[in-house]
Amino acid sequence: MNIGLLSRTRGERLLTPLLATLREYRFPIAGSLICGFLAYTYAFTNKLVNLDEMLYLFSKGVTTESGRWGLVLCSYLFPDISMPWIYGVLGLLILTAGICLCIRIFSIKSHILQFLLSGIIITFPSQIATFAYTYTAAPYAVSFLLAVLAVYFLCCGKGSPVKYGLALVCSVLSVSIYQAYISITASLLVLFLVKQIMGSTQSEKQLFRKGLCYVAFLALSLGVYWIITNLIWSNTEASIGGYAYSALTFSPDTILSNIKDAYVKFYAVLRYRHYSLITGSLSHFVHIVCILLTGMELLLWMLHNKKPARILLLLFLLGILPLSINCIFLFIHPDMIHSLVMFAFTSVYLLVAIILENGQYLLSRRDFWNRVRVLYYDVLLACIAIVIACNVYFANGAYLNLYLQYENTYSFTTSVLTTLENTPGYQSGDKVALIGMFTEPEYEEEHLAFLDGIAGLMGISPNSYSIRTMFQYYNGSNVNLISWEEALAVGDTPQFQQMPSYPSYGYIQKIQDVFVIKLSDDWIYKS
């Protein structure tokens, strides 16, 4: 009995720190989980697929060849089976841990602000898209957590070689999972300096030197990552893939144009609809209100501070914040960058939270202007809540579209297979060519055009390159689709030109030794 009591007490001692942490961060945890489940439950409880998700149901996609060797390591934590519920929930919990760590780094004390800040980060459209790629959703959440941990070890508490080493390890591992998340580390470091300028007693010279150290840290992280990646390529059969190679643009000749692209794309997001990171006209209006009110608060701080050097350093940091958020543009061609890459844009909301928290100390006086400021603080919080609601509606609309796309495509593949199997002379294993462009349903352009700017949310269709996998995994049929070169010869024949298109009678015919499925006269082949 005493042994049992002792065992229970030891267990309680182990759990006490965890329970204390959960209690301390109950508001950001609640914000993440409530808003997260409102946005993502449908995606977690249904197997929704897009082009890549269909292709990589049993893998982590292109890993070492694209420099994402960290995804191989993640396979030990998250086996290569794309399971929406478990990976969705795990991803949500890991993201929540990263957000709580952000709140700790920036000392956000207001409970309502903790709740809303967590909600707006967790429902940001980049994550809405990321959860559409179930096979990497949880690993990318780990990458986010590691990026934040790097900032925590580097900036918080007393520095030591061990903490700096841990920061470097976390940063390198984060980049090895998803290179774009270096922008999360970079933007958080800029924001940490902003917070210290507005609220610490350190001199401008000390803060400037600290900033130079952060730049050196980022460069060292990328350098170590690149060395490890090249060592892996040189000691294995893997090598940089064509997609990754064509995306790289970093060179001394392009650095200025890349910096320009980073700023142009940042302000393009604020102009609404670019990358679909602002999810509607109401959200766009609210973002404008947030920018104006935050700008007013910054101006009041400058008038109150009256230290030119400190004000200039703050303006400089605010000026390079867009570059830190979009620093991936320094390395990757703009055409290869999509909404998943832009998750660091959430640093803008963190900036709003930092400024709100910093302004609280000026509200002790009971004069008219402070009452006005209290009012527009409330307006700012309401604006954040509205953006969260817009994001939640956007997520559910996006996932509805993925479901409808899947249903349409499954209906198509089932119909085609039925017709193919009833075509005279067809036997299993015969050569098949799927040629032409399938006409997308009209409802997409009419009702779901708002999804065009965001990656992964337009779903799978008969025009997808992963249609073979659809036949295999969802219809249980190993259709023997021929190569591009073989199909080219078939598509040039007079018989193909005279064939009717799907779904007209006769859209499947045998030409030479190939059973041709003609979708349209537009010669596009899917294999």
Side-chain angles (χ1 to χ4, degrees):
M1 183 174 179
N2 291 335
I3 294 175
L5 178 61
L6 180 62
S7 174
R8 180 173 62 83
T9 305
R10 285 175 179 171
E12 288 176 350
R13 285 205 301 267
L14 289 173
L15 286 175
T16 297
L18 175 61
L19 294 175
T21 300
L22 293 175
R23 191 178 302 112
E24 180 182 358
Y25 293 99
R26 60 192 182 278
F27 289 98
I29 291 172
S32 290
L33 296 184
I34 291 173
C35 298
F37 279 115
L38 283 173
Y40 305 124
T41 296
Y42 190 78
F44 294 169
T45 54
N46 292 273
K47 186 56 197 166
L48 307 175
V49 290
N50 54 34
L51 287 73
D52 287 351
E53 174 67 21
M54 175 61 70
L55 199 60
Y56 300 124
L57 287 172
F58 302 104
S59 76
K60 290 290 184 290
V62 181
T63 56
T64 306
E65 292 82 358
S66 64
R68 298 175 191 168
W69 44 269
L71 284 174
V72 179
L73 301 177
C74 285
S75 293
Y76 294 101
L77 293 173
F78 314 108
D80 293 342
I81 304 174
S82 183
M83 299 177 287
W85 173 251
I86 187 66
Y87 288 169
V89 172
L90 285 175
L92 188 61
L93 292 175
I94 295 167
L95 287 170
T96 299
I99 293 169
C100 289
L101 195 57
C102 285
I103 286 168
R104 181 181 181 89
I105 291 169
F106 296 105
S107 301
I108 307 299
K109 304 297 184 184
S110 166
H111 289 162
I112 184 64
L113 190 55
Q114 289 178 355
F115 183 96
L116 293 174
L117 183 61
S118 301
I120 202 169
I121 293 175
I122 209 76
T123 62
F124 190 68
S126 290
Q127 279 307 313
I128 295 172
T130 299
F131 279 118
Y133 296 91
T134 305
Y135 65 100
T136 54
Y140 284 5
V142 172
S143 180
F144 170 74
L145 177 58
L146 288 168
V148 179
L149 273 170
V151 177
Y152 176 76
F153 287 129
L154 192 62
C155 300
C156 296
K158 293 182 178 180
S160 68
V162 173
K163 289 186 70 175
Y164 296 150
L166 288 172
L168 182 62
V169 169
C170 288
S171 182
V172 171
L173 287 176
S174 173
V175 174
S176 75
I177 297 171
Y178 196 37
Q179 297 95 327
Y181 283 2
I182 188 65
S183 56
I184 292 172
T185 304
S187 58
L188 291 182
L189 289 173
V190 172
L191 288 179
F192 187 77
L193 290 173
V194 168
K195 177 176 176 56
Q196 291 205 308
I197 286 174
M198 298 184 74
S200 77
T201 58
Q202 293 187 60
S203 69
E204 293 78 23
K205 188 178 293 186
Q206 287 176 310
L207 293 173
F208 184 76
R209 283 201 299 264
K210 188 177 288 187
L212 292 179
C213 291
Y214 292 163
V215 172
F217 171 80
L218 292 170
L220 180 62
S221 298
L222 291 174
V224 171
Y225 158 75
W226 188 243
I227 290 169
I228 294 173
T229 301
N230 278 276
L231 286 174
I232 291 172
W233 285 340
S234 62
N235 289 281
T236 64
E237 296 180 357
S239 61
I240 185 169
Y243 177 82
Y245 182 79
S246 63
L248 289 173
T249 61
F250 183 75
S251 74
D253 297 333
T254 62
I255 187 69
L256 291 178
S257 62
N258 291 353
I259 291 173
K260 177 184 175 183
D261 283 334
Y263 281 97
V264 168
K265 295 300 183 181
F266 178 83
Y267 292 108
V269 170
L270 298 178
R271 289 199 304 268
Y272 176 47
R273 301 300 324 144
H274 204 69
Y275 297 115
S276 291
L277 300 183
I278 296 176
T279 56
S281 55
L282 175 60
S283 181
H284 185 224
F285 172 76
V286 166
H287 275 84
I288 292 173
V289 173
C290 281
I291 291 169
L292 292 175
L293 294 180
T294 305
M296 289 171 57
E297 185 62 28
L298 277 170
L299 182 59
L300 286 171
W301 179 86
M302 293 176 194
L303 293 172
H304 181 268
N305 188 266
K306 298 178 182 178
K307 294 180 180 178
R310 213 164 185 85
I311 292 171
L312 285 174
L313 187 54
L314 176 63
L315 292 174
F316 172 74
L317 289 171
L318 293 175
I320 66 170
L321 181 61
L323 179 60
S324 67
I325 289 172
N326 279 351
C327 65
I328 194 65
F329 282 86
L330 300 178
F331 313 101
I332 304 297
H333 193 280
D335 292 343
M336 299 292 186
I337 292 176
H338 47 73
S339 47
L340 272 71
V341 176
M342 306 294 289
F343 190 35
F345 191 85
T346 52
S347 296
V348 173
Y349 306 125
L350 271 167
L351 175 64
V352 173
I354 291 168
I355 293 170
L356 274 173
E357 283 279 317
N358 185 77
Q360 301 286 343
Y361 78 95
L362 292 176
L363 297 179
S364 58
R365 303 188 308 275
R366 297 287 182 178
D367 58 22
F368 170 76
W369 291 111
N370 274 350
R371 287 197 293 272
V372 171
R373 290 176 67 198
V374 170
L375 175 62
Y376 77 65
Y377 279 16
D378 291 338
V379 172
L380 266 173
L381 294 174
C383 287
I384 296 173
I386 291 170
V387 172
I388 293 171
C390 291
N391 290 347
V392 168
Y393 278 110
F394 181 91
N396 282 275
Y399 297 141
L400 171 64
N401 179 65
L402 287 178
Y403 171 77
L404 293 175
Q405 284 269 28
Y406 160 74
E407 288 290 328
N408 274 272
T409 306
Y410 183 72
S411 176
F412 165 83
T413 54
T414 302
S415 172
V416 164
L417 281 174
T418 301
T419 306
L420 179 64
E421 290 164 358
N422 290 322
T423 300
Y426 176 76
Q427 295 183 355
S428 178
D430 285 347
K431 295 179 179 179
V432 177
L434 184 61
I435 301 175
M437 176 65 74
F438 180 80
T439 303
E440 302 288 352
E442 293 182 1
Y443 71 82
E444 289 183 15
E445 186 173 348
E446 183 179 356
H447 299 293
L448 299 170
F450 64 90
L451 297 173
D452 286 345
I454 194 163
L457 295 181
M458 291 309 293
I460 190 169
S461 79
N463 300 319
S464 303
Y465 51 77
S466 48
I467 192 66
R468 178 198 291 269
T469 313
M470 182 80 182
F471 282 120
Q472 180 181 358
Y473 291 152
Y474 284 79
N475 296 102
S477 176
N478 290 316
V479 176
N480 182 21
L481 292 174
I482 61 176
S483 67
W484 170 268
E485 291 76 16
E486 291 176 289
L488 187 62
V490 174
D492 287 337
T493 61
Q495 186 178 347
F496 175 81
Q497 302 299 325
Q498 295 168 7
M499 284 178 61
S501 299
Y502 175 88
S504 301
Y505 178 79
Y507 73 92
I508 299 181
Q509 295 182 19
K510 188 175 184 180
I511 301 177
Q512 299 168 6
D513 61 340
V514 179
F515 286 86
V516 178
I517 304 168
K518 182 177 179 180
L519 300 183
S520 71
D521 289 314
D522 299 322
W523 208 97
I524 297 176
Y525 180 64
K526 290 159 282 297
S527 64

